[in-house]
Amino acid sequence: MHFDDFFKTELNKLHEAGNYRVFADLERKAGEFPRALRYREDGSAHEVTVWCSNDYLGMGQHPDVIGAMHSAIDSNGTGAGGTRNISGTNHHHVVLEKELADLHGKEAALIFSSGYVSNWAALGTLLAKIPNVICYTDALNHASMIEGIRHSRCEKRIFRHNDQKHLEKLMAQDDPNTPKLVAFESVYSMDGDIAPIEAICDVADQFGALKYIDEVHAVGMYGPRGGGVAEREGIMQRLDVIEGTLGKAFGVMGGYITGSKELIDFVRSFASGFIFSTALPPAIAAGACASIRHLKENREISDLHKEKVCQVRAALDARGIPHMPNPSHIVPVMVGNAAKCKWISDIMLDEYGIYVQPINYPTVPVGTERLRITPTPYHSAEDIAHLAASLCDLWSQCALARQVA
């Protein structure tokens, strides 16, 4: 077999379908978020405004976070030295896990190298080790959750997205004595919709199931202390596992789970994704801790963020740019064509100084291609007006349908 020929053929298929992924070469400008330098292949650079960052609140450039990371590097050096199993747990890891447990009102927490790994390792371990367990998973759960469930080789049932009635029907069909786990998210990142958490908990409790929620797009954003949608709704205590990330609203990197002491210790003791992964650098843990503490006490930034989201939606409405309605901070601008979606993204970057990635298949179904816009508290009125005007120009050039108010 000529392997490179095979690779080339498959890549050409992506190009032809408009699904080939191109990563912009960006350099974030400290203190000027959401500005960045974009480097072209010829080595030249120009300033762009980032409209698709998951650093939702700009905490990646907050002075408290930067200061904590500098201090940790000065006192601890850079890397963690290896896995926690081999090199020992750094004190910054211990402090961060206590901070996370407190954030979610749980007894314990465990940090991982990423949100992807935390989902994969936690779900993969729980579902592989609990005898005969059945997993009930939302149809739109993230790839990391799907991989964890698949890795466990447990029996699974897929319930229709955010449909607690379908979940109840599926659970009622199985042996009531069989262990069960329900896995779902709070904020779904592509459509920006929010799960009926309490209703899903009611169904899960009816059948004695463990409840596992992914709050990666909600932590730091929602709730009186940034604990997520479950905190906002006053039901964190009903969730057995709350999983989150440090790489979005908290502005650094890493993932985590929180839960009872026994559950967390169980995952710590059996999860290969934890045992054999190099630990987060102490500086990352220190920065995350500073970010969490700041957002626990300072919620004004979250209120400002909500205002900016409303302003973006209003600006798009005024131009007839179709965007998916939802109750979250994510604004999916619907294009519905892979080639046009990528073309709009490329032109906005090259000619308008706006960076927003196209979201195409397989991330979203064919025909629902979109630009996923994530406003921040630091986008100005001028930024918003420029975004809306630029999209308006390109919408006309692509002869795309407008949204009627």
Side-chain angles (χ1 to χ4, degrees):
M1 183 176 188
H2 297 286
F3 292 104
D4 282 347
D5 288 344
F6 167 75
F7 300 147
K8 185 176 181 180
T9 298
E10 293 303 306
L11 289 170
N12 284 338
K13 291 178 183 177
L14 290 178
H15 281 286
E16 291 167 4
N19 291 330
Y20 182 76
R21 299 172 191 264
V22 177
F23 300 143
D25 184 352
L26 300 179
E27 181 179 318
R28 303 212 310 170
K29 300 176 73 173
E32 298 181 44
F33 183 77
R35 311 288 176 236
L37 283 178
R38 183 265 181 128
Y39 289 88
R40 295 187 174 94
E41 290 185 2
D42 63 5
S44 64
H46 66 114
E47 185 177 272
V48 299
T49 301
V50 178
W51 275 100
C52 54
S53 175
N54 284 342
D55 187 359
Y56 295 130
L57 302 177
M59 290 303 294
Q61 300 189 27
H62 193 281
D64 288 0
V65 178
I66 293 172
M69 293 183 72
H70 276 302
S71 178
I73 288 175
D74 290 342
S75 60
N76 288 253
T78 54
T83 68
R84 289 167 69 173
N85 187 50
I86 296 295
S87 304
T89 288
N90 187 280
H91 182 62
H92 286 289
H93 298 146
V94 176
V95 173
L96 174 57
E97 287 173 344
K98 288 180 179 178
E99 201 69 48
L100 287 165
D102 173 77
L103 175 65
H104 293 294
K106 300 299 181 185
E107 293 178 338
L110 190 66
I111 54 175
F112 297 81
S113 55
S114 73
Y116 190 103
V117 173
S118 59
N119 266 334
W120 173 80
L123 281 170
T125 299
L126 291 169
L127 294 170
K129 294 292 185 180
I130 298 173
N132 304 314
V133 68
I134 301 173
C135 180
Y136 302 83
T137 176
D138 188 286
L140 294 188
N141 275 344
H142 189 263
S144 58
M145 302 175 79
I146 294 169
E147 284 301 313
I149 295 165
R150 180 183 297 154
H151 177 75
S152 75
R153 299 184 179 180
C154 73
E155 277 198 63
K156 70 175 185 294
R157 314 279 186 258
I158 300 173
F159 63 93
R160 287 189 294 268
H161 179 53
N162 282 347
D163 188 340
Q164 70 271 16
K165 296 286 188 184
H166 188 224
L167 170 63
E168 183 176 20
K169 179 180 178 181
L170 292 176
M171 297 187 83
Q173 292 172 353
D174 287 316
D175 184 342
N177 296 316
T178 299
K180 299 171 178 65
L181 182 149
V182 177
F184 63 109
E185 302 181 39
S186 58
V187 178
Y188 286 83
S189 64
M190 289 299 110
D191 291 351
D193 55 336
I194 295 178
I197 301 175
E198 187 166 22
I200 290 175
C201 286
D202 288 343
V203 174
D205 287 345
Q206 181 182 340
F207 295 93
L210 276 173
K211 293 149 299 206
Y212 182 111
I213 192 169
D214 174 322
E215 288 249 43
V216 296
H217 291 278
V219 292
M221 304 291 293
Y222 302 92
R225 296 198 309 157
V229 178
E231 185 198 25
R232 184 188 70 183
E233 297 180 4
I235 53 174
M236 286 195 299
Q237 75 282 357
R238 298 194 64 184
L239 283 308
D240 298 293
V241 182
I242 298 177
E243 185 267 351
T245 184
L246 306 170
K248 292 183 171 62
F250 292 130
V252 285
M253 69 171 291
Y256 65 88
I257 59 170
T258 63
S260 69
K261 289 180 181 178
E262 291 78 11
L263 186 148
I264 296 301
D265 195 19
F266 182 86
V267 174
R268 182 194 68 86
S269 300
F270 290 104
S272 62
F274 172 80
I275 295 168
F276 299 106
S277 287
T278 297
L280 286 178
I284 294 292
C289 212
S291 182
I292 294 163
R293 287 172 176 167
H294 178 84
L295 289 176
K296 279 179 177 178
E297 301 295 330
N298 299 275
R299 302 306 297 158
E300 299 85 358
I301 193 70
S302 179
D303 294 334
L304 178 58
H305 180 260
K306 292 172 187 173
E307 292 177 16
K308 297 290 184 177
V309 172
C310 290
Q311 290 168 17
V312 168
R313 289 190 179 275
L316 296 176
D317 286 338
R319 303 276 187 163
I321 305 300
H323 55 95
M324 187 177 290
N326 62 53
S328 77
H329 57 283
I330 295 166
V331 184
V333 170
M334 306 307 292
V335 179
N337 178 284
K340 290 182 178 181
C341 194
K342 185 179 185 308
W343 183 84
I344 291 173
S345 173
D346 289 345
I347 298 300
M348 290 183 78
L349 183 61
D350 289 334
E351 299 182 14
Y352 292 86
I354 292 172
Y355 175 58
V356 55
Q357 272 288 82
I359 307 295
N360 293 339
Y361 179 83
T363 306
V364 295
V366 172
T368 68
E369 293 83 4
R370 67 200 65 182
L371 301 170
R372 179 181 176 274
I373 293 173
T374 52
T376 75
Y378 301 101
H379 283 100
S380 67
E382 292 76 17
D383 292 333
I384 295 170
H386 181 53
L387 172 71
S390 302
L391 283 169
C392 185
D393 289 347
L394 297 176
W395 228 252
S396 296
Q397 292 183 47
C398 285
L400 290 167
R402 302 270 175 170
Q403 182 172 278
V404 179

